Amino acid sequence: MKKKVLATLLATAMVAGCLAGCGNSNDGAASTPATEEAAPAEDAAPAEDAAPAEDAAPAEDTSSAADASDPIATLIANTSGTVALTVWASEEDQDLTTKLLDDFKATYPDVTFDITLGAESESTAKDTILTDVEAAADVFAFADDQINELVQAGALQEVAAHYTYDVAAENATGAVEAATVDGKLYAYPMTADNGYFMFYDSSVFTEDDVKSLEKMIEVADAAGKKIAMDISNGWYIYAFFQGAGLELTLNDDGMTNTCAWNAAGGTDVAQAIIDLTASNVFVDMGDEDMATQIAEGNVVACVNGTWRAETAQEAWGDNYAACKLPTFNAGGKDCQMSSYSGYKLVGVNPHSANLGWSMLLAEFLTNEAAQTARFDARGLGPANLAAASSDAVQSNPAIAALAAQAAYATPQRVGGNFWSPAETLGQILASGNPDGTDLQELLDTTVEGITAPVE
Amino acid sequence: MKKTIKSIIRHFVLLFLSVIWLIPILWLFVTSFSGYKGINTSHFFPETWTLDNYAQLFLRSDSIVQYNRWFLNTLVIAIFSCLISTILVLMVSYTMSKLRFTGRKGLMSFSIILNMFPGVLSMIAIYFILKTLGLTNSHLGMIIVYSAGAGLGYLICKGFMDTISVSLSEAARLEGASEAKIFWSVIIPLSKPIIVYTVINAFLAPWGDFVFAKLMLNSGVATDWTVAIGLFNMLGKSMINKYFSVFCAGGVIIAIPISILFVIMQKCYVEGITGGSVKG
């Protein structure tokens, strides 16, 4: 009998556990921050640690205008015991971040740190963080297009004050804008090179050739080589439509889009893409294929970003060159191809038990010295104005090309419904519209998909 | 004559199918010896051959490739899950097969139905339960998850035990043996084939699991990872061109323990499946 009672109790406990689990998961999925019940459950965050962090937050608010050493002194004074922090940086950034973390510990020798460095790609950070914001790292790097959703989910701490440097003043305006949502700064700009431009082999093209896509195709055709671009990818095909003045913008709700690709002139752009790809010299090619084809010498120019710089440099050696995107001819008019500009940002998790230290660390990972080190180690373009104006940065072909393209680039602000219709459109156009669909109709369908409401 | 032609046709069909099935594995295998680190889509066989990828896996650990560590993690998780689940399955099967108690039929149907729901359905709930208990990002938590529900998969094993004559356990009971004694000394020695089958199954699930491991080990700390997550991580868009052939080498290596386990237990494995299915 006793056993049965015990069994029933255990079963009840399990069911209750399940229900509690479900409840928590709902909380996590909705954008409300931590429930009181869940916070103490995190074993990693002892209660004493949480108190000084809260003390530190008002301290930094009051003294933001005063001299910089004060809030840090307050922070150190309010810290007792070990400061446990988790940092997420991309795989490629691990070595550099490890070094920076060591420097950080050395800068504050009076404090005991327990910093764990995890690997999380900037491009997928949002997905991992939104699965469970509380379990995410205290300080993490992410790409700027994810900022809206991260802010909505309460996964970013507002940068209301600063310890060591003025984030808004020392970084490029575009980068600061990209880190700002509704007029509030939410992240620390880390790099400013997450956009695309044109790489080319200067033994095939002259500097004049690369000004127009039509001319490039002519030259490449004569040389029997190819020009590659990932046309069947919304991120890249945007260059054509935006270049012709057809806008795609994110609505105020932060989820749905407004798209004018089917407006007057849209069919000209679509026809232009069909014509450009018809020669089979200008080809639709994914990033991985591009790497292979560049190495094999088949592709002599491609639209891609700084992450391919190494591949291109290896393959073309001294002939490696980069420039802004060329013009293309739509409806008898030369249009400058536009592009998305992208930034990588460092954010602080508001659920962090050591908020003050997290923010200080985020500053440390993105200050001028860190951005310079990042450029030296990995060739990534700094967002920091002082770091970006150094001679080494200025003379880097890829960074220079990005800077030239910047005038025509727009920050990537687009809702999730954009990608799949744009990809389909790209595939159809790059394969020459095999079904012969009326172009206006094709664009109407695409725009309908892009502007569809989000449920 | 007609027979020969038919046989030839049959063999050609089989040859065709086996080529289709084997090509991806062959590609993985030869790419693991490729001197070029990225994906080369224009050649099936690598242009340069090297053992360097394997050397990189085992000898040159960096922040991205920590194969020895992952392999050890996965092995520990798989071995413990395997032990616990095998014991659970055998015990449940014995209970359902040899004991008679109220609600036995109902319980059996209930567990079979419960087992039919895909495990991923409850994944998020399990994650939050374990998080409350502080067991996420721990290998103990993963062992618990992999082995906890194992008892539900008793069906085939029970089918096998049904074929063991009741008179054996009855005789033992008359001699004064307890249920535990009957289980360990009479039934288990007779169940070798089905034990082998259960062991292999129980080992394979955690060994190859990706979905649950990815959800549970979310701290991003590479030393905690299992092989599946570590290999997946190499396919990130910025790494695939430097690590693809290393990934292939890792994929080849992961198949080795399974193959060894299978070769050793092959004879019993076949017996186990067929024996269990007779009355399953």
Side-chain angles (χ1 to χ4, degrees), chain A residues 17-18 21-22 24-25 41-43 86 88 91-92 94-95 116-119 123 128 131-132 134-135 287-289 291-293 295-296 308 310, chain B residues 36 39-43 47 63-64 124-125 127-129 131-134 137 214-215 218-222 225 233 236-242:
Chain A
C18 287
C22 294
N24 270 354
S25 86
E42 288 209 49
D43 296 5
T86 318
W88 279 351
E91 285 288 6
E92 311 87 272
Q94 296 279 307
D95 293 341
T116 319
L117 175 62
S123 56
T128 315
T131 324
D132 186 359
E134 288 164 39
D287 186 44
E288 275 82 35
D289 273 346
T292 318
Q293 298 297 334
E296 306 240 312
R308 272 289 149 259
E310 218 174 295
Chain B
Y36 175 66
I39 296 184
N40 193 333
T41 42
S42 50
H43 301 273
E47 288 178 301
S63 68
I64 296 168
I124 302 292
Y127 171 76
F128 280 98
I129 293 171
K131 196 182 144 197
T132 327
L133 299 172
N137 285 311
K214 181 84 180 151
L215 184 77
N218 62 356
S219 69
V221 180
W225 286 347
N233 189 54
K237 99 177 162 205
S238 53
M239 277 163 286
I240 193 163
N241 274 301
K242 283 187 210 139

Coordinates of all heavy atoms in Angstrom, one line a residue, chain A residues 17-18 21-22 24-25 41-43 86 88 91-92 94-95 116-119 123 128 131-132 134-135 287-289 291-293 295-296 308 310, chain B residues 36 39-43 47 63-64 124-125 127-129 131-134 137 214-215 218-222 225 233 236-242:
Chain A
G17 N 6.0 18.7 -12.5 CA 7.2 19.1 -13.1 C 7.0 19.5 -14.6 O 7.5 20.5 -15.1
C18 N 6.3 18.6 -15.3 CA 6.1 18.8 -16.7 C 5.4 20.1 -17.0 O 5.7 20.9 -17.8 CB 5.2 17.7 -17.3 SG 6.2 16.2 -17.5
G21 N 7.5 23.0 -16.4 CA 8.4 23.1 -17.5 C 7.8 23.8 -18.7 O 8.3 24.7 -19.3
C22 N 6.5 23.4 -19.0 CA 5.8 24.0 -20.1 C 5.6 25.5 -19.9 O 5.8 26.3 -20.7 CB 4.5 23.3 -20.3 SG 4.7 21.6 -20.9
N24 N 7.3 27.5 -18.1 CA 8.6 28.3 -18.3 C 8.9 28.5 -19.8 O 9.3 29.5 -20.2 CB 9.7 27.5 -17.7 CG 9.9 27.9 -16.2 OD1 9.3 28.9 -15.8 ND2 10.8 27.3 -15.5
S25 N 8.6 27.4 -20.5 CA 9.0 27.5 -21.9 C 8.1 28.5 -22.6 O 8.6 29.2 -23.5 CB 8.8 26.1 -22.6 OG 7.5 26.0 -23.1
A41 N 16.6 29.9 -9.8 CA 16.9 28.5 -10.1 C 18.3 28.4 -10.8 O 18.8 27.3 -10.9 CB 15.8 28.0 -11.1
E42 N 18.8 29.4 -11.4 CA 20.1 29.4 -12.0 C 21.2 29.2 -11.0 O 21.6 30.2 -10.4 CB 20.3 30.6 -12.9 CG 19.4 30.6 -14.1 CD 20.1 31.4 -15.2 OE1 21.2 31.1 -15.5 OE2 19.4 32.2 -15.8
D43 N 21.7 28.0 -10.9 CA 22.7 27.7 -9.9 C 23.9 28.6 -10.1 O 24.6 28.9 -9.1 CB 23.1 26.3 -9.9 CG 21.9 25.4 -9.6 OD1 20.8 26.0 -9.4 OD2 22.0 24.2 -9.5
T86 N 30.0 34.8 -19.0 CA 30.1 34.0 -20.2 C 30.2 34.9 -21.4 O 29.4 35.8 -21.5 CB 28.9 33.0 -20.4 OG1 28.6 32.5 -19.1 CG2 29.2 31.9 -21.3
W88 N 30.2 35.0 -25.8 CA 30.1 34.2 -27.0 C 30.8 35.0 -28.1 O 30.4 36.2 -28.4 CB 28.7 34.0 -27.4 CG 28.1 32.8 -26.7 CD1 28.7 31.9 -25.9 CD2 26.7 32.5 -26.6 NE1 27.8 31.0 -25.4 CE2 26.6 31.3 -25.8 CE3 25.5 33.0 -27.2 CZ2 25.3 30.7 -25.6 CZ3 24.3 32.4 -26.9 CH2 24.2 31.3 -26.1
E91 N 33.7 31.5 -34.0 CA 34.8 30.5 -34.1 C 36.1 31.2 -34.6 O 37.1 31.0 -34.0 CB 34.5 29.4 -35.0 CG 33.6 28.3 -34.4 CD 34.2 27.5 -33.3 OE1 35.3 27.8 -32.9 OE2 33.6 26.6 -32.9
E92 N 35.9 32.1 -35.6 CA 37.1 32.7 -36.2 C 37.7 33.7 -35.2 O 38.8 34.2 -35.3 CB 36.7 33.4 -37.5 CG 36.0 32.6 -38.5 CD 34.5 32.7 -38.2 OE1 34.0 31.9 -37.4 OE2 33.8 33.6 -38.8
Q94 N 37.9 33.3 -31.9 CA 38.2 32.8 -30.6 C 39.6 33.1 -30.1 O 39.8 33.5 -29.0 CB 38.1 31.2 -30.7 CG 36.7 30.7 -30.9 CD 35.9 30.7 -29.7 OE1 36.3 30.1 -28.7 NE2 34.7 31.3 -29.7
D95 N 40.6 33.0 -31.0 CA 42.0 33.3 -30.6 C 42.1 34.7 -30.1 O 42.7 35.0 -29.1 CB 42.9 33.0 -31.7 CG 43.0 31.5 -32.1 OD1 42.6 30.7 -31.2 OD2 43.4 31.2 -33.2
T116 N 34.1 32.4 -19.1 CA 34.0 31.3 -20.0 C 33.8 31.8 -21.4 O 32.9 32.6 -21.6 CB 32.8 30.4 -19.6 OG1 32.7 30.3 -18.2 CG2 32.9 29.0 -20.3
L117 N 34.6 31.3 -22.3 CA 34.4 31.8 -23.7 C 33.8 30.7 -24.5 O 34.3 29.6 -24.6 CB 35.8 32.1 -24.3 CG 35.8 32.5 -25.8 CD1 35.0 33.7 -26.1 CD2 37.2 32.7 -26.3
G118 N 32.6 31.0 -25.1 CA 31.9 30.0 -25.9 C 31.9 30.4 -27.4 O 32.2 31.5 -27.7
A119 N 31.6 29.4 -28.3 CA 31.6 29.7 -29.7 C 30.2 29.8 -30.2 O 29.4 28.9 -30.0 CB 32.4 28.6 -30.4
S123 N 26.1 35.2 -37.1 CA 25.0 35.1 -38.0 C 23.9 34.2 -37.4 O 22.7 34.4 -37.7 CB 25.4 34.6 -39.3 OG 26.0 33.3 -39.2
T128 N 20.0 31.1 -31.3 CA 20.4 30.5 -30.1 C 20.0 31.2 -28.9 O 19.5 30.7 -27.9 CB 22.0 30.3 -30.1 OG1 22.4 29.8 -31.4 CG2 22.4 29.3 -29.0
T131 N 16.2 31.0 -28.1 CA 15.7 29.7 -27.6 C 15.5 29.9 -26.1 O 14.6 29.4 -25.5 CB 16.7 28.6 -27.8 OG1 17.3 28.9 -29.1 CG2 16.1 27.3 -27.8
D132 N 16.5 30.5 -25.4 CA 16.4 30.7 -24.0 C 17.3 31.8 -23.6 O 18.5 31.6 -23.4 CB 16.9 29.4 -23.3 CG 16.6 29.5 -21.8 OD1 16.2 30.5 -21.3 OD2 16.9 28.5 -21.1
E134 N 17.7 33.5 -20.9 CA 18.3 33.4 -19.6 C 19.6 32.6 -19.6 O 20.5 32.8 -18.9 CB 17.4 32.8 -18.5 CG 16.3 33.7 -18.1 CD 15.2 33.0 -17.4 OE1 15.5 32.1 -16.6 OE2 14.0 33.2 -17.7
A135 N 19.6 31.6 -20.5 CA 20.8 30.7 -20.6 C 21.8 31.2 -21.5 O 22.9 30.6 -21.6 CB 20.3 29.3 -21.0
D287 N 27.9 30.8 -52.4 CA 29.2 31.2 -51.8 C 30.3 30.1 -51.8 O 31.4 30.3 -52.2 CB 29.0 31.7 -50.4 CG 30.2 32.2 -49.7 OD1 30.9 33.0 -50.4 OD2 30.5 31.9 -48.6
E288 N 29.9 28.9 -51.5 CA 30.8 27.8 -51.4 C 31.4 27.4 -52.8 O 32.6 27.2 -53.0 CB 30.2 26.5 -50.8 CG 30.2 26.5 -49.3 CD 29.1 27.3 -48.7 OE1 28.0 27.3 -49.3 OE2 29.3 27.9 -47.7
D289 N 30.4 27.4 -53.8 CA 30.9 27.1 -55.2 C 31.8 28.2 -55.6 O 32.8 27.9 -56.3 CB 29.7 27.2 -56.1 CG 29.0 25.8 -56.2 OD1 29.6 24.9 -55.7 OD2 27.9 25.7 -56.7
A291 N 34.0 29.9 -54.0 CA 35.3 29.7 -53.4 C 36.1 28.7 -54.3 O 37.2 28.9 -54.6 CB 35.2 29.2 -52.0
T292 N 35.4 27.6 -54.6 CA 36.0 26.6 -55.4 C 36.4 27.1 -56.8 O 37.5 27.0 -57.3 CB 35.1 25.4 -55.7 OG1 34.5 25.1 -54.4 CG2 35.8 24.2 -56.1
Q293 N 35.4 27.8 -57.4 CA 35.6 28.3 -58.8 C 36.7 29.4 -58.9 O 37.4 29.5 -59.9 CB 34.3 28.8 -59.4 CG 33.2 27.7 -59.5 CD 33.6 26.6 -60.4 OE1 34.4 26.8 -61.4 NE2 33.0 25.4 -60.2
A295 N 39.3 29.5 -56.8 CA 40.5 28.8 -56.7 C 40.9 28.1 -58.0 O 42.1 28.0 -58.3 CB 40.4 27.8 -55.5
E296 N 39.9 27.6 -58.7 CA 40.2 26.9 -60.0 C 40.5 27.8 -61.1 O 40.9 27.4 -62.2 CB 39.0 26.0 -60.3 CG 38.6 25.1 -59.3 CD 38.7 23.7 -59.7 OE1 38.2 23.4 -60.8 OE2 39.2 22.9 -58.9
R308 N 35.5 36.5 -48.1 CA 36.1 35.8 -49.3 C 37.4 36.4 -49.7 O 38.1 36.0 -50.6 CB 35.2 35.8 -50.4 CG 34.2 34.7 -50.5 CD 34.8 33.4 -50.9 NE 34.0 32.4 -50.3 CZ 34.3 31.8 -49.2 NH1 35.5 32.0 -48.6 NH2 33.5 30.9 -48.6
E310 N 40.3 36.4 -48.4 CA 41.5 35.5 -48.4 C 41.6 34.6 -49.6 O 42.6 34.4 -50.2 CB 41.4 34.7 -47.1 CG 42.7 34.4 -46.4 CD 42.4 33.7 -45.1 OE1 41.7 34.3 -44.2 OE2 42.8 32.6 -45.0
Chain B
Y36 N 42.8 19.4 -50.3 CA 42.1 20.7 -50.3 C 41.1 20.7 -49.2 O 40.3 19.8 -49.1 CB 41.4 21.0 -51.7 CG 40.6 22.2 -51.8 CD1 41.2 23.5 -51.7 CD2 39.2 22.1 -52.0 CE1 40.4 24.6 -51.8 CE2 38.4 23.3 -52.1 CZ 39.1 24.5 -52.0 OH 38.3 25.6 -52.1
I39 N 35.1 22.5 -49.8 CA 34.3 21.6 -50.7 C 34.7 21.8 -52.1 O 34.7 22.9 -52.6 CB 32.8 21.9 -50.6 CG1 32.3 21.7 -49.2 CG2 32.0 21.1 -51.6 CD1 30.8 21.9 -49.0
N40 N 35.1 20.7 -52.7 CA 35.5 20.9 -54.1 C 34.4 20.2 -55.0 O 34.2 19.0 -55.0 CB 36.8 20.2 -54.4 CG 37.3 20.6 -55.8 OD1 36.5 20.9 -56.7 ND2 38.6 20.6 -55.9
T41 N 33.5 21.1 -55.6 CA 32.4 20.5 -56.3 C 32.7 20.1 -57.7 O 31.9 19.4 -58.4 CB 31.3 21.6 -56.4 OG1 31.8 22.8 -56.7 CG2 30.5 21.7 -55.1
S42 N 33.9 20.4 -58.2 CA 34.1 20.1 -59.6 C 34.9 18.7 -59.8 O 35.1 18.3 -60.9 CB 34.9 21.2 -60.3 OG 36.0 21.6 -59.5
H43 N 35.3 18.1 -58.7 CA 35.9 16.8 -58.8 C 35.3 15.9 -57.8 O 35.0 16.3 -56.6 CB 37.4 16.9 -58.5 CG 38.2 17.8 -59.3 ND1 38.7 17.4 -60.6 CD2 38.5 19.1 -59.2 CE1 39.3 18.4 -61.1 NE2 39.2 19.5 -60.3
E47 N 42.1 16.0 -55.7 CA 43.2 16.1 -56.6 C 44.5 15.8 -55.9 O 45.4 15.2 -56.5 CB 43.3 17.6 -57.1 CG 42.2 17.9 -58.1 CD 42.3 19.3 -58.6 OE1 42.2 20.2 -57.7 OE2 42.4 19.5 -59.8
S63 N 40.7 25.7 -31.3 CA 39.4 26.1 -30.8 C 38.3 25.5 -31.6 O 37.2 25.3 -31.1 CB 39.3 27.6 -30.7 OG 39.2 28.1 -32.0
I64 N 38.5 25.1 -32.8 CA 37.5 24.6 -33.7 C 37.4 23.1 -33.7 O 36.4 22.5 -33.7 CB 37.6 25.2 -35.1 CG1 37.4 26.7 -35.0 CG2 36.6 24.6 -36.1 CD1 37.7 27.4 -36.2
I124 N 11.3 20.6 -25.6 CA 11.4 21.9 -24.9 C 11.0 21.8 -23.5 O 11.7 22.3 -22.6 CB 10.4 22.9 -25.6 CG1 10.8 23.1 -27.1 CG2 10.5 24.3 -24.9 CD1 12.1 23.7 -27.4
A125 N 10.0 21.0 -23.2 CA 9.6 20.8 -21.8 C 10.7 20.1 -21.0 O 11.1 20.6 -19.9 CB 8.4 19.9 -21.7
Y127 N 13.8 20.3 -21.6 CA 14.9 21.3 -21.5 C 14.7 22.2 -20.3 O 15.6 22.4 -19.4 CB 15.0 22.2 -22.7 CG 16.0 23.3 -22.6 CD1 17.3 23.2 -22.6 CD2 15.5 24.6 -22.3 CE1 18.2 24.2 -22.4 CE2 16.3 25.7 -22.1 CZ 17.7 25.5 -22.2 OH 18.5 26.5 -22.0
F128 N 13.4 22.6 -20.1 CA 13.2 23.6 -19.0 C 13.1 22.8 -17.7 O 13.5 23.4 -16.6 CB 11.9 24.4 -19.2 CG 12.1 25.5 -20.2 CD1 11.8 25.4 -21.5 CD2 12.7 26.7 -19.7 CE1 12.1 26.5 -22.4 CE2 13.0 27.7 -20.6 CZ 12.7 27.6 -21.9
I129 N 12.7 21.6 -17.7 CA 12.7 20.8 -16.4 C 14.2 20.7 -16.0 O 14.6 20.9 -14.8 CB 12.1 19.4 -16.6 CG1 10.6 19.6 -16.9 CG2 12.3 18.6 -15.4 CD1 9.9 18.3 -17.3
K131 N 16.7 22.5 -16.8 CA 17.3 23.7 -16.5 C 17.0 24.1 -15.0 O 17.8 24.6 -14.3 CB 16.7 24.8 -17.4 CG 17.6 26.1 -17.4 CD 17.0 27.1 -18.3 CE 17.2 28.5 -17.7 NZ 16.3 29.5 -18.3
T132 N 15.7 23.8 -14.6 CA 15.3 24.1 -13.2 C 16.2 23.3 -12.3 O 16.6 23.7 -11.2 CB 13.9 23.7 -13.0 OG1 13.2 23.9 -14.2 CG2 13.3 24.5 -11.9
L133 N 16.5 22.0 -12.7 CA 17.4 21.2 -11.9 C 18.8 21.5 -12.0 O 19.7 20.8 -11.4 CB 17.1 19.7 -12.2 CG 15.7 19.2 -12.0 CD1 15.5 17.8 -12.6 CD2 15.3 19.3 -10.6
G134 N 19.2 22.4 -12.9 CA 20.6 22.7 -13.2 C 21.3 21.6 -13.9 O 22.5 21.4 -13.7
N137 N 23.7 21.6 -20.0 CA 25.1 21.8 -20.2 C 25.9 20.8 -19.3 O 27.0 21.0 -18.9 CB 25.6 23.2 -19.8 CG 25.3 24.1 -21.0 OD1 25.5 23.8 -22.1 ND2 24.6 25.2 -20.6
K214 N 22.3 19.4 -29.2 CA 22.4 20.8 -29.6 C 21.5 21.7 -28.6 O 21.9 22.7 -28.2 CB 21.9 20.9 -31.0 CG 21.9 22.3 -31.5 CD 23.3 22.7 -32.1 CE 23.4 24.1 -32.6 NZ 24.7 24.7 -32.5
L215 N 20.4 21.2 -28.2 CA 19.5 21.9 -27.3 C 20.1 22.0 -25.9 O 20.0 23.0 -25.3 CB 18.1 21.3 -27.3 CG 17.1 22.1 -26.5 CD1 16.6 23.3 -27.3 CD2 15.9 21.2 -26.1
N218 N 24.0 24.2 -24.7 CA 23.9 25.5 -25.4 C 24.8 26.6 -24.8 O 24.6 27.8 -25.1 CB 22.4 26.0 -25.3 CG 22.0 26.2 -23.9 OD1 22.7 26.0 -22.9 ND2 20.8 26.7 -23.7
S219 N 25.8 26.2 -24.0 CA 26.7 27.3 -23.5 C 27.7 27.7 -24.5 O 28.4 28.7 -24.3 CB 27.4 26.8 -22.3 OG 28.3 25.8 -22.6
G220 N 27.8 27.0 -25.6 CA 28.8 27.4 -26.6 C 30.2 27.0 -26.3 O 31.2 27.3 -27.0
V221 N 30.4 26.3 -25.1 CA 31.8 25.9 -24.7 C 32.2 24.6 -25.4 O 31.6 23.6 -25.2 CB 31.8 25.7 -23.2 CG1 33.2 25.3 -22.8 CG2 31.4 27.0 -22.5
A222 N 33.1 24.7 -26.3 CA 33.4 23.6 -27.2 C 33.9 22.3 -26.5 O 33.7 21.2 -27.0 CB 34.5 24.0 -28.2
W225 N 31.1 19.7 -25.9 CA 30.4 19.2 -27.0 C 30.5 17.7 -27.2 O 31.5 17.1 -26.8 CB 30.7 19.9 -28.3 CG 30.2 21.3 -28.3 CD1 29.3 21.9 -27.5 CD2 30.6 22.4 -29.2 NE1 29.1 23.2 -27.8 CE2 29.9 23.5 -28.9 CE3 31.5 22.4 -30.3 CZ2 30.0 24.7 -29.6 CZ3 31.6 23.6 -31.0 CH2 30.9 24.8 -30.6
N233 N 29.4 22.2 -36.2 CA 29.9 23.5 -36.1 C 31.0 23.8 -37.1 O 31.1 25.0 -37.6 CB 30.6 23.6 -34.7 CG 31.0 25.0 -34.4 OD1 30.2 25.9 -34.4 ND2 32.2 25.2 -34.0
G236 N 29.8 25.7 -40.4 CA 29.3 27.1 -40.4 C 29.9 27.8 -41.7 O 30.9 27.4 -42.2
K237 N 29.2 28.8 -42.1 CA 29.5 29.3 -43.4 C 30.9 29.9 -43.5 O 31.5 29.9 -44.6 CB 28.4 30.3 -43.8 CG 28.7 31.8 -43.6 CD 27.6 32.7 -44.1 CE 27.9 34.0 -43.4 NZ 26.8 34.9 -43.3
S238 N 31.4 30.4 -42.4 CA 32.7 31.0 -42.5 C 33.8 29.9 -42.3 O 35.0 30.2 -42.5 CB 32.9 32.0 -41.4 OG 32.5 31.5 -40.2
M239 N 33.4 28.7 -41.9 CA 34.5 27.7 -41.6 C 34.5 26.5 -42.7 O 35.5 25.9 -42.8 CB 34.2 27.1 -40.3 CG 34.8 27.9 -39.2 SD 34.1 27.5 -37.6 CE 32.5 28.2 -37.7
I240 N 33.4 26.4 -43.4 CA 33.2 25.2 -44.2 C 34.4 25.1 -45.2 O 34.8 24.0 -45.5 CB 31.8 25.2 -44.9 CG1 31.6 23.8 -45.5 CG2 31.7 26.3 -45.9 CD1 30.1 23.6 -45.8
N241 N 34.9 26.2 -45.7 CA 35.9 26.1 -46.7 C 37.3 25.8 -46.1 O 38.2 25.6 -46.9 CB 36.0 27.4 -47.5 CG 35.0 27.3 -48.7 OD1 35.1 26.5 -49.5 ND2 34.0 28.2 -48.7
K242 N 37.4 25.9 -44.8 CA 38.7 25.5 -44.2 C 38.6 24.2 -43.6 O 39.7 23.6 -43.2 CB 39.1 26.6 -43.2 CG 39.6 27.8 -43.8 CD 40.1 28.8 -42.7 CE 40.0 30.2 -43.1 NZ 39.5 31.0 -42.0

